[in-house]
Amino acid sequence: MKFHVLTLFPEMIEQGMNTSITGRAMEKGLISLNAVNIRDFAGNKHMKVDDYPYGGGAGMVMQAEPVYAAYHSLEEQAGHKLRVVYLTPQGKTFHQKMAEELAQEEELVFLCGHYEGIDERVLEEVVTDFVSIGDYVLTGGELPAMVMMDAISRLVGGVLNNETSAQSESFQDSLLEYPQYSRPEIWRDKVVPPVLMSGHHANIEKWRREQSILRTAKWRPDLLEKAELTKKERELLKGEVGNV
Ligand code: ADE
């Protein structure tokens, strides 16, 4: 997977992505990162890329031409049009299925805005996907781009050590993850659930599934509508939901 990021803060993106699992994935050549400074395409000696909004109002707007020139340099290198994700609170809310779909692409461009946004005309020209990471307003698109690249990277083959863990974690079946425990067996008088010490794999699987269902009912009941539950599991919920 090749990530390109059009931004006024390339160091922020590089530093964020160079650490931990995404950093290792880059070392292994499983993903690559090309952070492009939009300011390099300013086309004037003051390297200015923003101006006042027509019609008045607070703040500055990123101008169309530097953004277009930065994108166009990528298109020329690739030799074809690229999928361009613009990070904006006005976009479609990011979710796991979207991450899975984007992970199928060979190359993705993230366009990060700042100030009061980007001139609409260049957005119309180059953006293919308008995406928000949630209903709150951040100072720029860099953190949202990193959130998306992180979620997408872990779905790229070989990035996680354990291939199954990308699959089995939260949201795959519209259920939350079950609780995890590690040594010691007793910590501050709290004991690890005995079933996990039993070595009985079928019972462990059953317990984990139940825990996932109960947790989802407690914390994210909205997800349960999409979850595929057996009749027995629905019964379990009816009995327990008041107690969880
Ligand atoms: N830019 C500012 N806030 C944002 C958000 N919530 N999602 C995506 N991009 C943004």
Side-chain angles (χ1 to χ4, degrees):
M1 166 66 74
K2 281 189 193 174
F3 293 124
H4 305 276
V5 184
L6 305 178
T7 170
L8 293 173
F9 301 97
E11 327 77 51
M12 180 177 175
I13 300 284
E14 278 157 3
Q15 279 177 15
M17 292 294 286
N18 272 335
T19 44
S20 188
I21 292 176
T22 48
R24 210 175 50 223
M26 285 200 273
E27 276 168 21
K28 286 202 229 163
L30 298 167
I31 61 173
S32 70
L33 174 67
N34 172 29
V36 178
N37 194 341
I38 295 170
R39 211 173 284 286
D40 291 344
F41 295 83
N44 60 73
K45 68 170 188 274
H46 301 293
M47 308 292 260
K48 199 166 125 56
V49 292
D50 61 330
D51 210 330
Y52 295 101
Y54 278 123
M60 302 291 267
V61 175
M62 284 170 66
Q63 292 167 290
E65 188 53 28
V67 172
Y68 185 76
Y71 164 74
H72 200 250
S73 72
L74 298 177
E75 190 183 297
E76 281 207 318
Q77 281 163 34
H80 52 83
K81 288 208 178 302
L82 293 162
R83 191 154 178 190
V84 179
V85 177
Y86 176 50
L87 290 312
T88 166
Q90 294 161 34
K92 242 177 140 176
T93 309
F94 187 50
H95 53 74
Q96 188 65 23
K97 282 263 170 317
M98 203 191 284
E100 284 164 27
E101 195 251 313
L102 290 168
Q104 306 305 311
E105 299 284 341
E106 277 175 24
E107 220 162 330
L108 286 170
V109 181
F110 292 92
L111 171 58
C112 305
H114 254 266
Y115 316 125
E116 294 307 306
I118 301 182
D119 190 308
E120 191 69 20
R121 292 166 294 181
V122 69
L123 300 179
E124 288 167 9
E125 203 62 32
V126 306
V127 174
T128 55
D129 302 74
F130 293 80
V131 181
S132 162
I133 61 158
D135 288 341
Y136 40 83
V137 182
L138 300 166
T139 55
E142 283 75 13
L143 286 171
M146 285 193 268
V147 165
M148 289 187 68
M149 288 190 284
D150 190 290
I152 293 165
S153 296
R154 63 187 288 291
L155 301 173
V156 170
V159 168
L160 296 184
N161 290 329
N162 176 359
E163 273 305 304
T164 55
S165 58
Q167 291 303 312
S168 68
E169 280 169 19
S170 294
F171 301 118
Q172 223 66 35
D173 313 309
S174 296
L175 289 177
L176 301 184
E177 262 282 72
Y178 48 78
Q180 296 276 21
Y181 301 85
S182 185
R183 281 195 284 190
E185 196 180 328
I186 302 173
W187 179 78
R188 295 195 177 209
D189 295 337
K190 287 175 175 283
V191 182
V192 172
V195 64
L196 299 178
M197 316 297 291
S198 69
H200 192 300
H201 289 293
N203 284 353
I204 292 172
E205 283 309 302
K206 182 168 173 281
W207 180 86
R208 285 180 164 168
R209 170 103 184 150
E210 281 172 9
Q211 290 298 312
S212 283
I213 294 168
L214 294 176
R215 267 193 168 192
T216 311
K218 186 179 174 189
W219 290 335
R220 290 293 307 275
D222 55 304
L223 289 178
L224 275 182
E225 286 163 28
K226 283 185 240 147
E228 281 181 36
L229 301 187
T230 64
K231 226 175 157 183
K232 237 177 153 179
E233 286 169 342
R234 298 244 172 235
E235 295 290 310
L236 165 83
L237 264 184
K238 264 191 220 148
E240 294 270 351
V241 98
N243 307 321
V244 287

